């Protein structure tokens, strides 16, 4: 959704979203509310369709304007216990908790890391360089000026910033694994935004450069390349259920949407707590229908077990080698 006014958000319905119920569209596109919660917002008149109050079941048409009149009370609570773990005159690194968006989006106008940092009074200005999902914890960088922001963005886009993640997955993971292949829409899933990882043969992939060699890909497909290594349990002091779960260090070479989660799911190692790529797809469907599935009982955790553990790069202003790490969060243990 894009801002239409200080207290409203709007979106224009595209052809692929037409013929859907309004409540169904909102719950699938904006999952911070369940379908039942969106139905309440519509029924109470905070959702307008082309300027009119409507019922939750109205069918959308291409070109319709959906406007959300925001009630300040509707913004959900978020965690605010972030920590600054590195700072100099050019940039700052923050250890972000799970369940905290990085920047203003959708309903999270105030409950996001960037706004919390800006309102702390500690920084004159901050620029976002990259992002983490709301449920993903760990290291994230912000620049203090436009010039440094541009340099860091260049390092990310050129692959000269190394990122390492730690996940907790179901099943016993091998000692190490290299996953290269294609990410594409999952035709077997009931969830439209879910992606599928399709491995490629080694002879069709240049692992040093991360390039596809012999196989042509469709326009909506993306090359994906990730290194995985199992973390020995004694490093994290986890001695129980060693056969049922594993801690895995992940190093993505390409940077694709849902890359780690979709790849591990496709390989048979779904993340703990992942509603979209977890071991039960029905949990996500129940969630957007307004039900309240027991996430700990069915998925092992309340949030997806993805933690941005470390980031390594050459500082664009000092040329020093920088390595910033975030401790394993307690909910992983």
């Amino acid at each position: 959704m894009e801002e239409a006014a200080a207290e409203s958000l709007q979106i224009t319905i595209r052809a692929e979203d037409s013929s859907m119920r309004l409540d169904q569209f909102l719950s699938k596109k904006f999952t911070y509310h369940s379908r039942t919660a969106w139905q309440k917002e519509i029924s109470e008149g905070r959702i307008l369709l082309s300027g009119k109050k409507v019922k939750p079941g109205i069918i959308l048409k291409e070109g319709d304007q959906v406007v959300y009149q925001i009630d300040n009370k509707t913004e959900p609570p978020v965690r605010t216990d972030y920590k600054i773990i590195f700072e100099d005159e050019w940039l700052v690194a923050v250890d972000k908790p799970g369940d905290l968006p990085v920047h203003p989006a959708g309903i999270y106008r105030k409950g996001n890391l960037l706004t919390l940092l800006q309102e702390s009074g500690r920084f004159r200005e901050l620029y976002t360089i990259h992002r983490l999902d709301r449920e993903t914890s760990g290291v994230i960088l912000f620049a203090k000026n436009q010039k440094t922001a541009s340099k860091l963005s260049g390092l990310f886009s050129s692959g000269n910033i190394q990122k390492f993640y730690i996940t907790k997955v179901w099943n016993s993971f091998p000692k190490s694994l290299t996953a290269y292949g294609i990410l594409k829409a999952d035709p077997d899933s009931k969830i439209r935004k879910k992606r599928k990882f399709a491995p490629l043969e080694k002879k069709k992939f240049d692992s040093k450069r991360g390039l596809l060699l012999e196989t042509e890909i469709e326009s909506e497909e993306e090359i994906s390349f990730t290194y995985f290594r199992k973390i020995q349990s004694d490093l994290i002091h986890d001695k129980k259920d060693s056969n049922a779960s594993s801690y895995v260090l992940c190093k993505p070479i390409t940077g694709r949407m849902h890359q780690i989660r979709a790849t591990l799911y496709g390989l048979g190692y779904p993340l703990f707590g992942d509603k979209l790529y977890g071991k039960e797809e029905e949990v996500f469907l129940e969630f957007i229908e307004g039900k309240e599935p027991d996430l700990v009982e069915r998925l092992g955790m309340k949030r997806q077990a993805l933690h941005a553990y470390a980031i390594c790069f050459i500082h664009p202003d000092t040329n020093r080698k920088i390595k910033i790490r975030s401790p394993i969060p307690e909910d992983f243990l």
Side-chain angles (χ1 to χ4, degrees), residues 204-272:
K204 296 182 179 179
F205 199 88
D206 183 342
S207 60
K208 292 183 178 180
R209 294 183 295 161
L211 298 177
L212 196 63
L213 297 180
E214 298 178 14
T215 304
E216 295 184 0
I217 62 174
E218 301 295 330
S219 58
E220 296 184 357
E221 297 177 342
E222 294 180 314
I223 301 168
S224 176
F225 184 28
T226 317
Y227 290 117
F228 298 102
R229 179 168 62 83
K230 185 176 182 178
I231 302 173
Q232 296 300 320
S233 61
D234 57 354
L235 296 179
I236 304 186
H237 310 295
D238 177 54
K239 297 296 183 181
K240 59 184 179 180
D241 297 330
S242 59
N243 293 323
S245 64
S246 306
Y247 291 98
V248 180
L249 181 67
C250 317
K251 181 183 179 183
I253 304 304
T254 52
R256 310 303 186 192
M257 183 180 72
H258 300 173
Q259 178 171 322
I260 292 173
R261 298 160 62 199
T263 300
L264 286 170
Y265 173 81
L267 295 173
Y269 306 99
L271 271 64
F272 271 60

Side-chain angles (χ1 to χ4, degrees), residues 12-176:
T12 302
I13 299 301
R14 300 175 297 180
E16 56 265 37
D17 297 319
S18 62
S19 301
M20 292 179 65
R21 286 172 53 113
L22 176 59
D23 58 346
Q24 181 185 26
F25 166 76
L26 290 170
S27 64
K28 286 190 174 182
K29 191 168 184 65
F30 306 108
T31 57
Y32 46 76
H33 273 340
S34 67
R35 186 170 181 177
T36 299
W38 280 121
Q39 289 171 346
K40 183 179 179 181
E41 295 292 295
I42 297 167
S43 298
E44 293 180 355
R46 284 190 286 272
I47 305 287
L48 302 180
L49 184 64
S50 299
K52 299 178 181 179
K53 293 183 179 180
V54 293
K55 294 183 178 180
I58 190 170
I59 303 300
L60 299 173
K61 303 187 298 295
E62 183 180 1
D64 279 345
Q65 294 287 326
V66 179
V67 177
Y68 183 17
Q69 305 290 338
I70 297 173
D71 180 348
N72 289 333
K73 295 180 181 179
T74 64
E75 186 163 344
V78 296
R79 289 183 60 178
T80 59
D81 53 331
Y82 66 86
K83 296 179 182 178
I84 295 174
I85 51 179
F86 176 86
E87 182 181 1
D88 61 18
E89 62 182 287
W90 298 279
L91 57 90
V92 57
V94 179
D95 187 359
K96 184 185 88 68
D99 197 23
L100 176 63
V102 171
H103 48 70
I107 201 170
Y108 296 99
R109 297 171 301 129
K110 296 181 179 179
N112 62 84
L113 180 57
L114 180 60
T115 298
L116 291 173
L117 290 169
Q118 291 172 332
E119 292 184 348
S120 71
R122 181 169 177 171
F123 307 101
R124 291 180 56 189
E125 55 184 353
L126 288 175
Y127 298 83
T128 53
I129 308 302
H130 59 125
R131 66 182 296 275
L132 296 176
D133 289 341
R134 176 176 61 86
E135 292 191 6
T136 301
S137 57
V139 181
I140 186 161
L141 296 179
F142 296 90
K144 291 185 174 181
N145 60 74
Q146 183 63 60
K147 188 174 182 180
T148 299
S150 179
K151 292 177 181 178
L152 285 170
S153 295
L155 291 178
F156 272 104
S157 60
S158 62
N160 287 315
I161 289 186
Q162 294 181 314
K163 295 178 290 182
F164 298 87
Y165 294 80
I166 288 177
T167 67
K168 185 177 182 180
V169 302
W170 293 97
N171 303 321
S172 181
F173 200 81
K175 184 176 180 180
S176 63

